Amino acid sequence: MERSNSIDRRTFVHGAAAGVAGLALGGLPSPLGAHAAADRDAVIAKIASGHAAALTMLRDWIAFPSIAAENRNYPQGAEYMARLARDAGFANARLVPTSGKPGVFGTLDVGARTWLGLYFMYDVKQFDPAEWSSPPLEGRLVKKEGVGTVIVGRGATNQKGPEVACLAALHAFRAANVKLPVNLVLVAEGEEEIGSPSFRQIVLTPEVQAALHRCVGVVIPLGNQGLDGRVQVNLGAKGVIELELVASGEKWGRGPARDVHSSLAAQVDSPAWHLVQALNTLVKPDGHTPAVEGFFDDVRPIGDAQRRILEDAIPRMSEAETKKALGVTRWIADEAWHDSLVRLVSQPTINIEGLVGGYTGPGGKTILPHRAVAKLDMRLVPDMTAAKTLERVKAHLAKHGFGDLEVNMTGGYDPTETPADSKLVHAMMATYRKNGVDPLLWPRLAGSWPGATFTAPPLNLPAGQFGLGHGAGAHAPDEYWLVESTNPNVVGMDGAAKSFVDFFYELA
């Protein structure tokens, strides 16, 4: 089984870092007092004895996919998430209704001084079983050379594997009869894979918002390790808009109202060409620079502090490894590696995810399609907003003669930013270092997650990704999560769970 060339949007640069010395999880050098250190060791021991139960939890969850785009397993997926939360100690976990798919909310209050928010998603991407080497809902254990034993299945790394690692840590605290060093607020959604259209409704529910206001920050569990063992701490993420552009004879008032014979292209307008011509106006002749009027007006240049972080990080990143992971041989305009990384952090983008129209089966079918669809995503940087950017795209299309196109935004949110000096970031960095990893501080993830709901008003909380462990193939066939590692640089599922134990103590 080979790793797909498709790179998880949340973890783009993980495979890019240079090699790191072997990782040691034992013997944590910690300022914990003797009693707390003994408690921690007792919890860690329970992670090992609970390994089989955690693996069963993950396999069972993989077998029960919630897919928002297909309306599959709703509200059952939310109820499943709530049960997992209750089993891990969130006794009051309950469903939060929205205009879309329900969320899940719960608190675990142990009387600690510090509160931490946990963001979970219970939905997964669609899949085609024909593209997989083992059934995507089976959760089969597979030996992967140079990695170890992995569990293969849709959602294995995005995000069920890392989330189960976090839940396994909570189960270990309960099994060891040790009180958590922090209080927790859990917020989960079931629409992340369609752009989180209802997530703000969940978070701004008065009870949820009040609980989150007590937190020092919010983390999403993630297997952050590349195969070299390195991890990345991101001080933000790009925002995103996901949308469809639809050209049709009915809306246009030209072209056919149904598919017709292609010979009629001599006298009948083509909605498919109309869509292609509209798409061509969205970028400059170089094929990548956005050409929408006003698109860059709100882009804030990289500040001095972020520039220093970027320049410190770039020398630690491997161009050769990144090219290998992505299956590319050159960057845009043949620019230098350094410049391509600056672009990755600082530039908004307009990308075509897919084009659908007419006949795409075997052989030919001589038709003139009455309808064509383009699926786009746009990545946003501060101080762009999803709402204003969408209006600019609509205005641009109308100005250029394409006001008839349907513009259907299916999801999206604004960029996130988290201060480097926040308690959350300090705790992440310290936990990684105590586990033998020198983390790479990075200004902004090129991918997106709905953390803006936490980092923007009214909450204004630090937020980011945390966790040791490794997985790959998110959104792609043969997605996997590492269960038992044979790679000395990378931890398996138990090591990922241990990282959460250490993080909780560090944050406290």
Side-chain angles (χ1 to χ4, degrees):
M1 181 180 67
E2 295 296 324
R3 177 177 177 175
S4 167
N5 285 335
S6 175
I7 300 296
D8 182 348
R9 67 185 176 188
R10 299 170 185 80
T11 55
F12 164 73
V13 200
H14 291 165
V20 68
L23 180 73
L25 266 173
L28 180 73
S30 172
L32 293 175
H35 180 72
D39 282 350
R40 174 197 170 272
D41 291 344
V43 174
I44 296 300
K46 291 299 183 181
I47 288 175
S49 61
H51 175 89
L55 182 57
T56 297
M57 186 196 318
L58 177 54
R59 181 180 284 118
D60 289 349
W61 200 7
I62 287 172
F64 192 75
S66 298
I67 302 176
E70 299 174 350
N71 200 32
R72 182 172 179 176
N73 285 331
Y74 293 93
Q76 297 93 334
E79 293 164 350
Y80 197 104
M81 176 74 254
R83 179 174 63 79
L84 290 176
R86 287 191 288 268
D87 289 346
F90 294 91
N92 61 356
R94 62 174 179 83
L95 270 59
V96 180
T98 73
S99 58
K101 308 295 189 277
V104 176
F105 163 67
T107 57
L108 206 173
D109 185 352
V110 297
R113 290 180 300 175
T114 301
W115 286 79
L116 172 68
L118 296 176
Y119 165 85
F120 276 33
M121 51 182 279
Y122 65 83
D123 63 319
V124 299
K125 270 293 184 187
Q126 308 93 306
F127 56 87
D128 179 356
E131 298 176 341
W132 290 63
S133 64
S134 65
L137 301 184
E138 181 181 312
R140 182 179 297 177
L141 294 179
V142 175
K143 300 287 187 182
K144 188 171 179 64
E145 186 177 355
V147 180
T149 300
V150 303
I151 185 169
V152 178
R154 175 53 83 225
T157 193
N158 182 22
Q159 294 289 122
K160 292 179 178 179
E163 289 171 351
V164 164
C166 183
L167 294 174
L170 300 183
H171 279 278
F173 275 97
R174 300 186 80 186
N177 197 27
V178 171
K179 189 172 74 170
L180 274 162
V182 293
N183 309 313
L184 299 174
V185 176
L186 174 68
V187 183
E189 67 161 321
E191 297 179 318
E192 198 280 340
E193 296 295 9
I194 60 169
S196 303
S198 309
F199 186 54
R200 191 168 175 84
Q201 296 175 42
I202 301 169
V203 171
L204 297 187
T205 299
E207 185 181 4
V208 179
Q209 184 177 337
L212 287 169
H213 265 302
R214 293 180 286 188
C215 295
V216 297
V218 181
V219 295
I220 171 176
L222 196 67
N224 275 307
Q225 290 187 284
L227 291 177
D228 58 9
R230 187 72 56 81
V231 299
Q232 185 172 306
V233 174
N234 301 298
L235 299 178
K238 289 184 177 179
V240 69
I241 294 174
E242 294 189 77
L243 59 80
E244 291 181 338
L245 292 185
V246 183
S248 66
E250 300 94 321
K251 293 281 186 176
W252 190 16
R254 308 183 65 85
R258 61 183 183 276
D259 292 355
V260 298
H261 196 278
S262 65
S263 65
L264 298 174
Q267 64 178 166
V268 177
D269 287 309
S270 167
W273 278 117
H274 187 54
L275 176 62
V276 169
Q277 290 165 345
L279 292 171
N280 199 46
T281 71
L282 297 179
V283 295
K284 293 183 178 180
D286 61 16
H288 63 83
T289 302
V292 172
E293 286 86 344
F295 200 77
F296 288 90
D297 286 359
D298 296 327
V299 171
R300 187 204 320 151
I302 297 178
D304 291 342
Q306 284 194 323
R307 174 69 70 173
R308 286 193 297 271
I309 291 169
L310 184 60
E311 296 298 341
D312 287 344
I314 288 175
R316 298 176 57 190
M317 304 179 72
S318 169
E319 180 177 19
E321 288 299 318
T322 303
K323 284 182 173 179
K324 180 180 178 181
L326 295 175
V328 302
T329 58
R330 58 184 63 186
W331 309 118
I332 285 174
D334 291 321
E335 64 188 5
W337 171 234
H338 172 281
D339 296 344
S340 74
L341 289 174
V342 174
R343 180 193 297 276
L344 182 70
V345 167
S346 62
Q347 180 172 303
T349 60
I350 299 177
N351 174 60
I352 299 175
E353 295 179 355
L355 293 170
V356 183
Y359 180 72
T360 58
K365 184 179 180 183
T366 50
I367 61 166
L368 190 162
H370 80 287
R371 186 176 187 271
V373 180
K375 291 184 177 289
L376 307 181
D377 66 60
M378 303 179 189
R379 303 287 171 170
L380 316 177
V381 299
D383 293 313
M384 301 173 76
T385 66
K388 186 180 289 188
T389 302
L390 180 66
E391 291 308 310
R392 283 176 170 152
V393 170
K394 290 179 178 179
H396 168 92
L397 290 170
K399 178 180 177 180
H400 290 268
F402 302 100
D404 59 280
L405 295 186
E406 295 179 44
V407 182
N408 302 321
M409 180 174 168
T410 55
Y413 34 80
D414 298 342
T416 71
E417 288 189 287
T418 287
D421 61 355
S422 65
K423 184 174 182 179
L424 188 76
V425 171
H426 281 302
M428 290 180 185
M429 301 285 283
T431 303
Y432 288 139
R433 286 175 178 141
K434 288 177 181 178
N435 282 282
V437 179
D438 185 15
L440 186 76
L441 191 62
W442 191 246
R444 182 177 302 123
L445 186 67
S448 305
W449 74 292
T453 310
F454 303 119
T455 61
L459 290 173
N460 299 307
L461 292 173
Q465 307 84 32
F466 175 81
L468 292 178
H470 169 76
H475 299 187
D478 291 343
E479 177 182 356
Y480 72 82
W481 171 250
L482 180 57
V483 176
E484 295 182 3
S485 178
T486 58
N487 181 333
N489 297 327
V490 184
V491 303
M493 186 167 69
D494 287 359
K498 291 174 186 176
S499 71
F500 284 98
V501 174
D502 291 332
F503 179 59
F504 296 152
Y505 277 109
E506 185 64 39
L507 195 63

